[in-house]
Amino acid sequence: MKTIVALSTPALTSAIHIIRISGDKAYPILQRLLKEKVTKKGYTIQKVDLFNGDEKIDEVLLNKFVNPKSYTGEDLIEINCHGSTYIANKIISLLIKNGCSMAKRGEFTKRAFLNNKISLIQSEAINNLVNSTNDIAVKMSINGLENKTNTVLQKIRDELFKILGQVEVDIDYPEYESTPDVSKKEIINIFNKSMSIIENIINTSNKVIKVKDGINVAIIGKPNVGKSSLLNALLKEDKAIVSNIPGTTRDMVEASCVINGYKYNFIDTAGIRTSTNVVEKIGIKKSKQAYKNADLVILVLDNSKKISDEDKKLIKNTKKQNRIIVLNKSDKAQINKINGYKISAKNNKISSLLNVLSNYENLNNVNLKNEILMQTQQSINKLQNVLMNIKAAEQIYRFDKELELSASYLHNSIDLLEEILGLSKDLSFVDELFAKFCVGK
């Protein structure tokens, strides 16, 4: 396998850069840039000068790791050079000139997986951790690194193998009447336990991933109730145009921020009202679609004015959704007796709303460290397919129907689990996963 190299820090001027080399030729290739001997001793740091012929390039620190005790399971060296992108690129060019190949996206982590240093689920967790933007994302990634999910799914796969073996015995020897290795009652119990565990993993993972990726929130209301002012107050910046003229927002304004560890994707929509203006009507149509698709709706009402028929219609239309009603402009005369959170977006007095958002779905009370979680929506979808196949196999087996078909569904379940676990011979799914990583990881 080729010895690879890549910059593992952002390609920006900074204090230092880290260049990674991994492969069985890592030490000999690096030695060609040195005038002194690089010692091949793991978990040590060595200060050396790098040269291009007789020209000194930089003074660097080498973090050294020796096969198999490294991130990739190969000889690995991390060169800590000064933070000039010119210097970093020059060092990389010299390493390539002397025998290295440029690493592809995620190739270091892919090698760690292929060398059995980490599982595929841990690989997904590493990518999630690198791209985390909030506390939930970090906790979910740490959960995956601990590899509990891998252990649970491997046990389910082993149990399904046990069932498959008994089903195939029943198919090949239907006349065999002696006591089976596993009774039918035991097999159905294994089916049910496996399905219950998988259903719990899917449900919890879907809930957590939705929050990890950001809760989609539509801010809606009729024109001039303060939706844009509220968005600006939430973001603590002037993102949306604020005007006293009704209907200023004609299209959706989107922005994200983190509140108490939760990421929120806010959509400031066009004011919803009856209009004859062609452009405004398009904006209103988009607004209605946005709040129907949102995870959460913030309905803004003007608390300084009497509730209108348009307000009442919005209250009715969003009643079945996950909704928060806020009474804006509550610094003025408050004339409505409707339940809601009183705020003044213009004056940045929105603490009552922030308190609600800070405890969304009460995930602060979920101990993600102890949950069994999938790390990506793609893996959740595969696990959902596993569940469907197990259910089909169980129903056929329970009612003594075509056992060959039950065995086929069991084979499908096992194959899908092995894809999720990274044990499948088909590496197309693996290649697709690592293509989402950054270069140098």
Side-chain angles (χ1 to χ4, degrees):
M1 196 175 284
K2 293 180 179 179
T3 297
I4 55 174
V5 62
L7 182 66
S8 288
T9 45
L12 302 168
T13 301
S14 57
I16 62 167
H17 276 307
I18 299 175
I19 299 167
R20 266 182 171 170
I21 316 172
S22 183
D24 58 1
K25 300 287 194 302
Y27 282 89
I29 289 173
L30 181 63
Q31 186 64 61
R32 293 167 193 161
L33 276 63
L34 306 177
K35 293 189 180 297
E36 59 191 283
K37 180 70 175 177
V38 57
T39 56
K40 191 173 179 179
K41 187 176 181 182
Y43 300 114
T44 59
I45 297 174
Q46 184 177 353
K47 183 182 177 183
V48 297
D49 295 333
L50 294 184
F51 288 85
N52 178 19
D54 291 328
E55 177 193 2
K56 182 176 175 179
I57 303 300
D58 196 10
E59 294 179 349
V60 302
L61 292 177
L62 306 178
N63 290 332
K64 298 177 294 182
F65 306 89
V66 178
N67 166 34
K69 296 181 179 180
S70 71
Y71 178 70
T72 59
E74 304 171 330
D75 287 342
L76 186 145
I77 305 168
E78 292 182 344
I79 303 171
N80 290 254
C81 65
H82 286 92
S84 161
T85 55
Y86 176 78
I87 290 174
N89 288 332
K90 190 164 186 177
I91 293 171
I92 291 170
S93 295
L94 287 169
L95 290 166
I96 291 173
K97 184 179 178 180
N98 282 278
C100 282
S101 296
M102 194 67 194
K104 298 176 183 177
R105 284 179 172 271
E107 192 167 358
F108 292 95
T109 305
K110 183 178 180 179
R111 291 190 177 197
F113 163 69
L114 294 174
N115 290 327
N116 296 316
K117 300 296 291 184
I118 54 174
S119 70
L120 195 61
I121 292 174
Q122 285 176 310
S123 300
E124 293 173 327
I126 288 168
N127 195 37
N128 282 345
L129 190 59
V130 169
N131 292 290
S132 59
T133 59
N134 56 77
D135 288 348
I136 296 297
V138 172
K139 290 176 182 177
M140 182 178 183
S141 302
I142 297 300
N143 173 288
L145 290 177
E146 292 180 351
N147 223 24
K148 293 177 182 177
T149 303
N150 211 69
T151 303
V152 170
L153 293 183
Q154 280 186 333
K155 186 175 180 181
I156 290 174
R157 183 203 60 167
D158 294 344
E159 295 286 357
L160 294 179
F161 264 125
K162 185 188 297 183
I163 295 174
L164 179 61
Q166 186 61 52
V167 171
E168 289 182 337
V169 166
D170 293 342
I171 292 169
D172 293 336
Y173 305 100
E175 73 285 353
Y176 189 66
E177 296 180 354
S178 298
T179 304
D181 293 335
V182 187
S183 70
K184 183 170 183 175
K185 183 178 179 181
E186 288 175 312
I187 288 176
I188 290 174
N189 284 339
I190 294 171
F191 268 127
N192 290 334
K193 185 177 180 181
S194 298
M195 288 188 289
S196 177
I197 292 170
I198 291 174
E199 282 178 342
N200 185 62
I201 294 172
I202 291 169
N203 292 336
T204 307
S205 299
N206 274 325
K207 181 179 179 182
V208 176
I209 274 190
K210 181 177 72 174
V211 179
K212 176 196 76 99
D213 292 339
I215 303 153
N216 297 320
V217 184
I219 303 173
I220 70 167
K222 68 181 187 181
N224 214 31
V225 294
K227 299 185 298 299
S228 297
S229 294
L230 176 56
L231 178 65
N232 291 340
L234 288 164
L235 299 176
K236 298 180 182 178
E237 63 174 288
D238 292 335
K239 177 76 174 180
I241 298 171
V242 177
S243 168
N244 290 326
I245 303 170
T248 301
T249 304
R250 296 294 181 89
D251 205 349
M252 294 184 291
V253 179
E254 300 182 30
S256 300
C257 70
V258 175
I259 300 172
N260 194 32
Y262 298 95
K263 182 182 178 184
Y264 286 88
N265 305 316
F266 292 106
I267 305 170
D268 175 22
T269 64
I272 300 174
R273 64 174 176 177
T274 303
S275 175
T276 57
N277 183 285
V278 176
V279 177
E280 188 177 0
K281 284 172 75 174
I282 294 171
I284 291 168
K285 184 178 179 180
K286 287 185 177 181
S287 297
K288 290 179 178 178
Q289 192 62 46
Y291 80 69
K292 288 177 182 176
N293 294 334
D295 300 317
L296 178 65
V297 172
I298 296 178
L299 174 56
V300 184
L301 304 176
D302 185 346
N303 203 25
S304 68
K305 296 180 180 178
K306 186 178 179 181
I307 294 295
S308 67
D309 290 338
E310 287 173 330
D311 289 323
K312 291 176 182 177
K313 189 175 181 180
L314 284 171
I315 292 170
K316 181 181 178 182
N317 290 343
T318 59
K319 189 175 182 180
K320 293 183 179 180
Q321 290 188 257
N322 195 8
R323 180 189 70 185
I324 299 172
I325 294 177
V326 296
L327 306 175
N328 193 28
K329 305 184 184 181
S330 291
D331 53 314
K332 301 180 181 180
Q334 301 172 28
I335 61 175
N336 297 302
K337 293 184 178 180
I338 191 168
N339 289 328
Y341 296 93
K342 295 178 180 179
I343 66 168
S344 175
K346 185 178 180 180
N347 297 318
N348 292 315
K349 294 181 178 180
I350 59 170
S351 58
S352 60
L353 174 60
L354 290 175
N355 287 336
V356 177
L357 295 176
S358 295
N359 294 287
Y360 180 79
E361 294 212 353
N362 208 26
L363 271 180
N364 285 322
N365 294 329
V366 176
N367 188 350
L368 296 184
K369 184 176 180 180
N370 296 327
E371 293 289 347
I372 306 300
L373 300 170
M374 304 307 295
Q375 292 291 314
T376 66
Q377 191 61 56
Q378 186 179 17
S379 293
I380 294 173
N381 294 342
K382 280 184 178 288
L383 195 59
Q384 183 71 56
N385 206 352
V386 171
L387 181 62
M388 289 169 58
N389 277 277
I390 295 175
K391 283 182 177 179
E394 190 272 340
Q395 284 296 301
I396 293 167
Y397 182 80
R398 179 188 290 270
F399 297 106
D400 291 319
K401 294 183 180 179
E402 299 178 20
L403 291 183
E404 291 87 353
L405 192 55
S406 182
S408 177
Y409 281 122
L410 281 167
H411 275 294
N412 290 343
S413 302
I414 292 166
D415 289 345
L416 285 164
L417 278 172
E418 291 192 339
E419 279 188 32
I420 293 170
L421 293 166
L423 303 175
S424 173
K425 293 179 182 179
D426 180 8
L427 292 179
S428 58
F429 171 53
V430 173
D431 292 337
E432 186 180 340
L433 166 65
F434 289 110
K436 297 175 183 175
F437 279 56
C438 56
V439 174
K441 187 56 183 169

